[in-house]
Amino acid sequence: YKSNTIKKIIFNNIEKFSQNYGYSFIKININNLINIKPEEIEKYFTQYYGKSIFLIPIKEISKNLHQNMWIEDFTIKNDYKNTININIVESSPIGIYFNGANSLLFDKNGEIIDLLDSNFSLYSHLIKFEGDNSLLNANIFINSLPFLFRNEIKKAIFISNRRWDIKLKNGINLKLAENKILDSFNNYDKFYKNVSNQELTEIEMIDLRIPKQIILKFKAIK
């Protein structure tokens, strides 16, 4: 009881001092953000406007910000006058995971960031992952890709918890060898450079599972 009473007296004195000498919180600065609306951050400070800049519970507010999956890192700086400056580093999605019902953005650690909805156009370039445990293995898959192929893949499906089937943006499906993703893409690249665009449009599937061998399946003639 005495401790609480002393705290109230100290806080009241700090509040009076702040009001008398212009140390009241009146402004918040937040860096430009893509996926996080400023009001999502500002809401944690609203009740403290006009109060002493020294009494804003930064640690408590930080705990709330840590729970936002779009925030990878942040700094909160108090200018000890009247302004709070916040710099936020947003999480960077590396792929889209389809769980059978929803499309979800995920980061390099395989952590779900958010439901993919209104910002779909921003992330339409990302690979869509499907299949059991595809989320757990997505980062390994992406890191195994030749750089030039990263923008050519539309979908990656994890098959039998062992290997990947790939759907390219040109409509061709690839069956990749188990644990030899790079070799499979190198084989496809060699094949790709030796066929015409017209021939590519006639191919439905390319099986790359057998080393140094390519099996083609052509589209049915209508």
Side-chain angles (χ1 to χ4, degrees):
Y1 173 79
K2 289 182 179 180
S3 175
N4 289 335
T5 300
I6 292 172
K7 284 182 181 179
K8 287 181 181 179
I9 293 173
I10 293 173
F11 282 16
N12 287 336
N13 286 336
I14 292 174
E15 197 65 67
K16 289 179 181 179
F17 171 83
S18 298
Q19 290 177 1
N20 290 336
Y21 293 95
Y23 291 104
S24 297
F25 172 49
I26 62 173
K27 185 180 180 182
I28 181 171
N29 293 324
I30 304 172
N31 62 301
N32 292 329
L33 301 170
I34 298 174
N35 294 286
I36 305 172
K37 296 179 180 179
E39 50 265 34
E40 292 181 39
I41 309 302
E42 293 171 354
K43 67 182 180 181
Y44 298 114
F45 295 87
T46 302
Q47 61 181 307
Y48 303 109
Y49 280 114
K51 302 291 182 64
S52 171
I53 194 75
F54 304 113
L55 298 180
I56 298 176
I58 299 300
K59 287 185 178 181
E60 181 180 328
I61 291 172
S62 295
K63 290 179 181 179
N64 290 318
L65 296 183
H66 277 299
Q67 294 176 7
N68 189 322
M69 294 303 295
W70 272 112
I71 299 178
E72 181 176 320
D73 197 11
F74 64 90
T75 57
I76 302 177
K77 292 185 178 180
N78 185 333
D79 73 346
Y80 298 106
K81 179 63 178 177
N82 55 29
T83 303
I84 295 291
N85 297 299
I86 302 177
N87 186 72
I88 292 175
V89 178
E90 290 184 279
S91 295
S92 298
I94 65 166
I96 301 167
Y97 171 60
F98 183 66
N99 63 3
N102 297 302
S103 294
L104 307 162
L105 293 168
F106 65 90
D107 64 16
K108 60 186 178 182
N109 298 313
E111 298 288 339
I112 298 299
I113 298 174
D114 200 359
L115 180 70
L116 181 63
D117 46 21
S118 58
N119 285 336
F120 177 78
S121 59
L122 272 177
Y123 299 106
S124 58
H125 63 286
L126 296 179
I127 300 171
K128 190 171 187 177
F129 290 84
E130 296 181 4
D132 293 341
N133 293 321
S134 61
L135 180 60
L136 296 175
N137 292 275
N139 193 38
I140 297 174
F141 173 81
I142 291 173
N143 289 333
S144 300
L145 287 178
F147 182 77
L148 293 176
F149 279 99
R150 296 194 179 193
N151 291 324
E152 301 300 320
I153 300 173
K154 182 178 181 180
K155 184 187 294 184
I157 305 169
F158 202 43
I159 305 296
S160 301
N161 206 30
R162 295 186 299 106
R163 63 169 198 84
W164 297 92
D165 277 358
I166 306 301
K167 184 170 184 179
L168 300 178
K169 291 180 180 179
N170 63 11
I172 295 176
N173 297 310
L174 304 181
K175 291 184 178 293
L176 305 186
E178 184 178 350
N179 299 322
K180 294 183 179 180
I181 294 173
L182 183 59
D183 289 348
S184 293
F185 277 109
N186 286 336
N187 287 338
Y188 171 75
D189 188 50
K190 292 176 184 177
F191 171 79
Y192 177 84
K193 291 176 179 177
N194 287 284
V195 295
S196 67
N197 290 332
Q198 176 59 39
E199 289 173 317
L200 284 174
T201 62
E202 298 171 356
I203 298 172
E204 178 181 329
M205 183 271 293
I206 302 177
D207 192 335
L208 302 161
R209 290 176 290 179
I210 302 175
K212 298 181 181 181
Q213 182 174 327
I214 289 178
I215 299 174
L216 303 179
K217 178 182 179 182
F218 292 90
K219 296 176 182 177
I221 298 176
K222 295 181 180 180

